[in-house]
Amino acid sequence: MYDVTIVGAGIVGTFIARELSKYNLNILLVEKENDVSKGATRANSAIVHGGYDAKPGTLMAKLNARGNALFDKVSKELEIPFERIGSFVLATNKEEMDTIDELYDRGMENGIPSMEILTGDEIREMEKNISKNVIGGLHAKTAGIVGPWELAIALTENSMENGVELKLNTEVKDIEKNEDNYKIKTNNEDIDTKYIINCAGIYADKINNMVSKNAFTITPRRGEYYVLDKDCGVEFINKVIFQSPTKLGKGVLLVPTVHGNLLVGPNAENIDDKEGTQTTYDGLRFIKQISNKSSENIPFRENIRTFAGLRAQASTNDFIIEESRDAKGFINVAGIKSPGLSASPAIAEYVIDIFKDIKKDLKFKKNFNPIRKAPIVFMELDDKQKNNLIKKDEKYGRIICRCEMITEAEIVEAINRAPQARTVDAIKRKVRPGAGRCQGGFCGPRIVEILARELNISPEEVLKDNNNSNILVGKTDKGNGGNMDA
């Protein structure tokens, strides 16, 4: 019997798992996918918002402001990439400047520090590639960028070090509500638990409806993105660039990433398919057209990939974070769309406060360890440090990914370090081979070999990402004097 079972291992579920691991509890984190951070956490704008945009009085406003302030401490404890680079919201006409004034006033009401309204010329002094049509904007100095999947992975690792159990490939099929506990029926086994925290993202409504008649609806909202090469990155834009917001969101953004790339996007399209993460011609064309409003010089010729993610749009238009009224001990954490990433550390705090009202005898662990030591990043070391590592382990001397300068030793550690990276893309999320200019064209076959060797499986069993995404399917016939894998 588990004390608490958390359903969903995205950024919110993993933050809650870590926060709960500070207490003497038997905690289980379940995820239907074969890795953590595979939903909205891996496909978003990677922004820690300043907090001026959310409507005052909402959970979004309250938790964004608090969450933003927590990121310095969290990033230091977990050793994950986070930078406070600031953001601009741009205006190109009088009507949009009125919106800028409203955002500033809203930010003041939300208690957001370090904001200022600047003229177009003042903005261009800081960002040379901003459109000449920009007449002014809002500068929020506390906004930042983060590595979202690196954060979720680090949270999971630290949680597991503090006693949390993780079960992947475990899909909740039904939940049976008993007098004082729950039985979760999954594709693998039945799980007995006293309490459930529903962090299932776009499927949170489905999980809620298994136990509660108080229904809500989650609509998938698709956003598509371009990823531009590192040659662009901070050389083109230094801060997060927003357009004046509309009813559908914050417009098409320009976002430098913590790894030096440039994101351009997203669009916003409500869809019915909760697995609809494909990119579209119309969506990508829209992004190109609308992004020109921020800058006429975006070097789309440097695009190295496109992707799409789904945001969880709740019917309440606010975060849903509460104990179900007709299912005691069942806590919904749903509708966590933007600024969900920014609010995530504060969401975890908020959930713990709710849980303390449910279980009043919570006791802190004396041995909780908040520190997670990050894995070695070989390319960031000086020559002396690199040579010393190679002397200790020759695998540090073998570069597998030339674009990102990732060594075999780093890949092996990613496979063997909890939570295990067992697919090509899981390794990419952990240590970035395949994230560079060639997108795995050079390193991909070597990673397959290393995975097969370390996991003691055949190359045909190695997955790209999702289950059944086998890369190799068998041997080709001999020809031209050779034999190749198909």
Side-chain angles (χ1 to χ4, degrees), residues 193-207:
T193 186
K194 295 177 183 176
Y195 309 103
I196 296 175
I197 302 177
N198 173 19
C199 304
I202 56 174
Y203 288 99
D205 52 351
K206 177 181 177 181
I207 300 298

Side-chain angles (χ1 to χ4, degrees), residues 12-147:
V12 173
T14 53
F15 249 121
I16 291 171
R18 180 180 186 249
E19 198 68 22
L20 280 174
S21 73
K22 296 177 181 178
Y23 301 90
N24 288 313
L25 294 166
N26 188 13
I27 304 162
L28 174 64
L29 177 62
V30 299
E31 169 58 50
K32 71 182 182 69
E33 303 292 345
N34 58 14
D35 194 13
V36 302
S37 74
K38 287 189 65 174
T41 301
R42 73 165 177 179
N44 60 73
S45 304
I47 300 167
V48 176
H49 291 276
Y52 51 79
D53 184 62
K55 182 180 178 181
T58 62
L59 277 177
M60 287 182 179
K62 174 183 176 180
L63 299 179
N64 187 167
R66 172 63 178 161
N68 178 293
L70 290 172
F71 263 89
D72 296 290
K73 180 175 183 288
V74 168
S75 62
K76 183 177 181 181
E77 289 178 344
L78 300 179
E79 293 191 19
I80 54 98
F82 168 65
E83 300 174 29
R84 286 197 184 278
I85 62 173
S87 67
F88 285 122
V89 186
L90 306 180
T92 58
N93 55 51
K94 175 63 169 59
E95 182 180 355
E96 290 179 350
M97 278 304 299
D98 290 341
T99 300
I100 297 299
D101 291 334
E102 292 173 6
L103 290 176
Y104 179 85
D105 292 341
R106 191 181 298 174
M108 294 297 291
E109 191 171 348
N110 289 341
I112 307 305
S114 304
M115 297 185 303
E116 58 184 351
I117 295 178
L118 302 178
T119 67
D121 288 339
E122 288 173 326
I123 293 172
R124 277 182 288 273
E125 285 181 10
M126 303 170 71
E127 294 285 4
K128 63 182 180 181
N129 287 307
I130 292 301
S131 170
K132 63 181 182 298
N133 296 320
V134 171
I135 63 172
L138 175 64
H139 182 202
K141 297 180 181 179
T142 60
I145 53 176
V146 69

Side-chain angles (χ1 to χ4, degrees), residues 92 169 194 223 234 271 285 312:
T92 58
N169 292 305
K194 295 177 183 176
V234 295
I271 61 174
R285 182 179 61 176

Side-chain angles (χ1 to χ4, degrees), residues 159-416:
S159 299
M160 295 175 73
E161 289 171 346
N162 285 290
V164 173
E165 184 179 348
L166 172 68
K167 291 188 177 184
L168 300 173
N169 292 305
T170 303
E171 183 177 0
V172 176
K173 296 293 189 180
D174 197 10
I175 302 174
E176 179 182 300
K177 182 169 57 172
N178 300 316
E179 185 174 338
D180 57 357
N181 58 60
Y182 293 89
K183 184 181 290 293
I184 303 174
K185 299 181 178 181
T186 78
N187 57 316
N188 297 322
E189 60 184 315
D190 289 351
I191 298 168
D192 292 314
T193 186
K194 295 177 183 176
Y195 309 103
I196 296 175
I197 302 177
N198 173 19
C199 304
I202 56 174
Y203 288 99
D205 52 351
K206 177 181 177 181
I207 300 298
N208 170 77
N209 295 345
M210 293 178 182
V211 301
S212 174
K213 294 180 180 178
N214 296 307
F216 54 84
T217 303
I218 300 294
T219 300
R221 179 170 288 177
R222 181 165 56 199
E224 302 169 55
Y225 296 83
Y226 287 90
V227 183
L228 276 55
D229 192 36
K230 284 185 175 182
D231 285 349
C232 305
V234 295
E235 295 297 321
F236 187 79
I237 289 293
N238 300 297
K239 300 182 184 298
V240 180
I241 306 298
F242 295 97
Q243 297 174 350
S244 184
T246 68
K247 291 181 180 179
L248 282 177
K250 302 174 180 68
V252 173
L253 322 179
L254 306 179
V255 186
T257 74
V258 290
H259 298 292
N261 298 93
L262 180 66
L263 294 182
V264 186
N267 59 336
E269 178 189 8
N270 289 343
I271 61 174
D272 296 324
D273 183 5
K274 293 195 175 189
E275 299 294 329
T277 56
Q278 66 272 25
T279 56
T280 66
Y281 173 80
D282 288 339
L284 294 173
R285 182 179 61 176
F286 172 85
I287 291 169
K288 273 191 173 183
Q289 292 173 344
I290 301 302
S291 61
N292 283 330
K293 184 177 179 181
S294 299
S295 173
E296 300 91 347
N297 306 317
I298 300 170
F300 283 104
R301 65 185 178 280
E302 299 292 338
N303 178 59
I304 59 174
R305 71 167 298 148
T306 59
F307 70 92
L310 300 178
R311 288 160 275 180
Q313 176 67 35
S315 52
T316 61
N317 290 317
D318 196 5
F319 297 158
I320 302 169
I321 309 175
E322 60 188 8
E323 182 185 19
S324 175
R325 292 188 294 276
D326 60 347
K328 297 302 180 184
F330 183 95
I331 301 174
N332 280 309
V333 188
I336 311 300
K337 65 170 187 174
S338 178
L341 172 60
S342 315
S344 54
I347 290 173
E349 285 185 341
Y350 192 83
V351 170
I352 299 306
D353 287 341
I354 294 174
F355 190 65
K356 285 179 178 178
D357 286 337
I358 298 170
K359 185 174 173 57
K360 300 184 185 299
D361 59 346
L362 276 183
K363 294 181 180 179
F364 275 105
K365 284 180 182 174
K366 294 180 179 179
N367 61 345
F368 172 76
N369 177 21
I371 305 302
R372 173 259 191 183
K373 185 66 177 174
I376 292 169
V377 181
F378 188 78
M379 68 180 296
E380 295 179 358
L381 305 178
D382 61 35
D383 288 344
K384 183 178 179 180
Q385 291 171 317
K386 290 177 179 177
N387 288 331
N388 287 337
L389 276 177
I390 293 170
K391 289 176 183 177
K392 293 178 183 178
D393 184 348
E394 65 181 11
K395 290 190 289 294
Y396 279 109
R398 292 196 283 271
I399 301 295
I400 302 300
C401 173
R402 294 180 180 178
C403 297
E404 300 290 317
M405 295 298 290
I406 308 299
T407 66
E408 182 177 353
E410 293 169 274
I411 294 169
V412 169
E413 182 182 12
I415 295 170
N416 293 300

